[in-house]
Amino acid sequence: MSEQLRRISRALISVSDKTGLVDFARALAERGIELVSTGGTRKALSDAGLKVRDVSELTGFPEMMDGRVKTLHPKVHGGLLAIRDSTDHAASMRDHGIAPIDLLVVNLYPFETTIAKTADFDTCIENIDIGGPAMIRAAAKNHADVAVVVDAGDYAVVLSELAQHGGATTLDLRRKLAAKAYARTAAYDAAISNWFADRLADPAPSYRAFGGHLLEPLRYGENPHQSAAFYRTPDLRPGVASARQVQGKQLSYNNINDTDAAYECVAEFDPKRTAACVIVKHANPCGVAEGASLLDAYRKALACDPVSAFGGIVAVNRALDAEAARAITDVFTEVIIAPEASEEAIAIVGAKKNLRLLLVGGLPDPRAAGITAKSVAGGLLVQSRDNAVVDGMKLEVVTKRAPTNAELTDLAFAFRVAKHVKSNTIVYAKDGATVGIGAGQMSRVDAARIAARKAQDAAKEAGAKEPLTKGSVVASDAFFPFADGLLVAVEAGATAVIQPGGSVRDDEVIKAADDHGIAMVFTGVRHFRH
């Protein structure tokens, strides 16, 4: 309808990200649209040969207080907020010399980028935009008359509408732009408020907000009847959100979730110390191993549960090489994620057109602080990231027999893995590799039984005489509430156990270990994972 069209005669442009700025502004100017701008944006446009008014000419006031005050003025906000069809608003504009602003183009001071680069408090504070969000919210509120652009990716859409409608925008576009504008300021304020909470070491601020930028809409969620999308948050932790997808079809919701689980787990293994590989299926590791090479680590990880590994996610902690790539691509795999990859490895993976290869450029730090959130009906559960690592724990030997050095090495390995398996968790490990994993069970004894059964199945698959749980060690993510789970591990052939301790029946469990000559250590740290 014609009344929904609004011609643009004046545009106020103030951007920190100048991507595509000059071409966009030139296209506006060629339509006879007056350009008004501020500071560095005005200089960039002027240097490009465009006629542009400084905002101070519009307001009658110079920029002041180191640029903190320049657009916070009635002649700016009146021009944005005035309802064009209101006779009262029109009279106020005439009486006070306020000119309408029909298009606002603003992207905000780079606060998120700044806090990622520096911890200097004053520098971060100076990169909190005030005038920008105020103008954005004003223009978005008055979207019936004003178009607001906060994303350079929308320049082409606006120009297309102007060409299609003789220099005017439609109400439909202005509503969409307004919705994006409010989401952008909300995400911006969320980043600032969370930064303040972190600097104040406040784990439970009165209000908590989260925001993100759309990376891509997804085909569906966990199931085909669910819609989904993938967003990037200001947290610059290396991982699937920051990865470069070298090849393969679009990632699904479940691919992203599983890939994140795999990469977080493999990051527990320092690449300077050892090569490591993690295979994940349905968000749980089904095989983890260290090795002299990625090929060695992959083969050991695959041997733990080759059945579950089919259609899984593979994560490695070093640059993917050709040997490892050939072995991985011999088995149907959904995603490979690595810090880097050789050109030969990329070419090998490239032969599998649907296999996704993600390169991150680094590993996340398992010790780094951070927060995680989970939605529940009517609320959010927010907690600090589980950044406890076994290398930093004081292990207490609680049995008569102390573990051997070889057992201690495997115990530490197994506890690293248990941190990343859904609770209740039991992990059997031997010679730097998982040999049985029991995940997500309602009772710990069932987890121990399932892990042992998995080891038996893997032994049968490999044609081995006995399961690798013989002579293995066991990790439990939380304490054994009874001795029964421990006894299942003993029956499977385990010789040493690592667990948090803290049960009212610890004495009973310790006695059972002593009765069977088992070494056991307590970590004092629990790794529940849901």
Side-chain angles (χ1 to χ4, degrees):
M1 297 174 63
S2 59
E3 64 267 27
Q4 293 178 315
L5 296 175
R6 291 293 184 267
R7 291 185 59 84
I8 295 176
S9 60
R10 182 174 295 104
L12 174 54
I13 307 175
S14 180
V15 294
S16 57
D17 177 6
K18 296 176 175 55
T19 303
L21 167 67
V22 172
D23 289 342
F24 179 59
R26 181 172 285 115
L28 296 177
E30 288 172 353
R31 289 196 163 274
I33 296 171
E34 181 183 31
L35 305 180
V36 181
S37 192
T38 64
T41 304
R42 186 201 61 77
K43 184 177 185 303
L45 296 177
S46 181
D47 289 348
L50 293 171
K51 183 179 179 181
V52 55
R53 291 180 67 188
D54 193 282
V55 73
S56 62
E57 296 178 46
L58 197 70
T59 64
F61 277 83
E63 290 187 18
M64 62 183 71
M65 301 177 186
D66 299 318
R68 285 188 169 197
V69 179
K70 51 190 174 186
T71 59
L72 296 170
H73 193 279
K75 288 193 175 182
V76 172
H77 286 270
L80 293 171
L81 284 165
I83 298 173
R84 306 305 195 253
D85 293 337
S86 167
T87 55
D88 287 345
H89 287 206
S92 294
M93 293 177 77
R94 286 193 305 271
D95 292 345
H96 298 286
I98 297 173
I101 299 170
D102 310 304
L103 172 64
L104 177 71
V105 183
V106 172
N107 53 56
L108 305 171
Y109 290 176
F111 179 81
E112 295 102 328
T113 305
T114 300
I115 61 174
K117 291 180 178 179
T118 180
D120 181 70
F121 191 89
D122 291 340
T123 300
C124 294
I125 291 296
E126 283 308 307
N127 277 277
I128 296 176
D129 203 327
I130 301 301
M135 290 191 294
I136 288 171
R137 292 177 63 82
K141 177 174 181 174
N142 199 30
H143 66 269
D145 294 309
V146 179
V148 54
V149 177
V150 297
D151 183 350
D154 290 323
Y155 291 170
V157 177
V158 171
L159 293 177
S160 176
E161 279 232 340
L162 295 181
Q164 187 176 351
H165 299 288
T169 59
T170 63
L171 178 60
D172 182 62
L173 176 63
R174 295 194 300 274
R175 282 178 173 168
K176 290 177 181 176
L177 293 174
K180 178 181 280 191
Y182 281 122
R184 176 63 188 115
T185 57
Y188 192 73
D189 286 341
I192 295 168
S193 64
N194 285 321
W195 173 79
F196 263 112
D198 182 61
R199 293 301 295 264
L200 294 170
D202 184 356
S206 298
Y207 292 89
R208 176 72 85 173
F210 294 94
H213 175 72
L214 179 68
L215 285 177
E216 60 177 333
L218 301 175
R219 289 172 293 161
Y220 53 83
E222 284 186 296
N223 300 290
H225 62 276
Q226 295 173 268
S227 60
F230 188 25
Y231 289 84
R232 174 76 184 269
T233 69
D235 183 4
L236 297 181
R237 187 173 179 82
V240 64
S242 62
R244 174 172 66 96
Q245 184 168 347
V246 176
Q247 72 135 65
K249 61 184 180 180
Q250 182 190 28
L251 292 162
S252 70
Y253 181 101
N254 292 327
N255 290 152
I256 292 168
N257 189 52
D258 291 355
T259 302
D260 177 69
Y263 208 58
E264 287 289 336
C265 184
V266 86
E268 297 280 348
F269 301 92
D270 184 353
K272 295 177 182 177
R273 182 182 63 83
T274 184
C277 176
V278 174
I279 306 173
V280 160
K281 191 70 171 290
H282 298 303
N284 275 306
C286 61
V288 182
E290 298 176 342
S293 66
L294 289 182
L295 176 61
D296 181 36
Y298 173 71
R299 285 176 173 167
K300 291 166 68 177
L302 181 64
C304 178
D305 189 353
V307 174
S308 296
F310 185 83
I313 311 294
V314 175
V316 295
N317 69 340
R318 290 180 177 175
L320 182 69
D321 55 47
E323 283 188 330
R326 286 191 191 96
I328 295 169
T329 54
D330 278 344
V331 177
F332 172 56
T333 301
E334 291 277 5
V335 181
I336 301 172
I337 184 168
E340 300 292 347
S342 70
E343 290 302 319
E344 188 177 1
I346 291 173
I348 291 167
V349 177
K352 306 286 187 179
K353 65 178 183 179
N354 288 330
L355 172 56
R356 297 89 157 181
L357 175 61
L358 304 182
L359 302 181
V360 181
L363 288 166
D365 180 359
R367 294 177 174 82
I371 56 174
T372 63
K374 180 180 180 180
S375 64
V376 296
L380 285 172
L381 284 172
V382 180
Q383 65 176 345
S384 60
R385 180 182 287 116
D386 183 357
N387 62 349
V389 294
V390 68
D391 293 333
M393 298 174 192
K394 184 177 180 180
L395 304 185
E396 178 190 3
V397 178
V398 295
T399 48
K400 295 174 182 177
R401 183 174 80 79
T404 65
N405 289 336
E407 286 173 331
L408 272 174
T409 299
D410 276 342
L411 287 169
F413 170 89
F415 205 65
R416 277 192 189 91
V417 177
K419 173 181 174 181
H420 294 271
V421 185
K422 302 295 184 185
S423 301
N424 284 313
T425 300
I426 291 292
V427 175
Y428 294 88
K430 185 177 182 180
D431 298 330
T434 56
V435 295
I437 299 174
Q441 297 307 303
M442 288 68 74
S443 72
R444 199 157 300 279
V445 65
D446 284 341
R449 287 170 178 155
I450 289 172
R453 177 58 186 269
K454 287 277 190 181
Q456 291 170 2
D457 292 344
K460 186 177 180 180
E461 177 83 11
K465 292 182 179 179
E466 61 181 12
L468 289 177
T469 50
K470 300 295 184 181
S472 69
V473 304
V474 169
S476 176
D477 62 332
F479 61 67
F480 286 96
F482 302 95
D484 53 2
L486 175 69
L487 294 176
V488 171
V490 171
E491 184 179 352
T495 62
V497 178
I498 185 169
Q499 60 137 317
S503 168
V504 294
R505 294 184 176 85
D506 274 348
D507 290 344
E508 174 188 325
V509 176
I510 293 169
K511 182 179 184 304
D514 283 333
D515 288 346
H516 290 83
I518 300 299
M520 185 159 61
V521 297
F522 283 2
T523 65
V525 176
R526 187 179 73 183
H527 280 313
F528 266 161
R529 186 177 182 87
H530 295 291

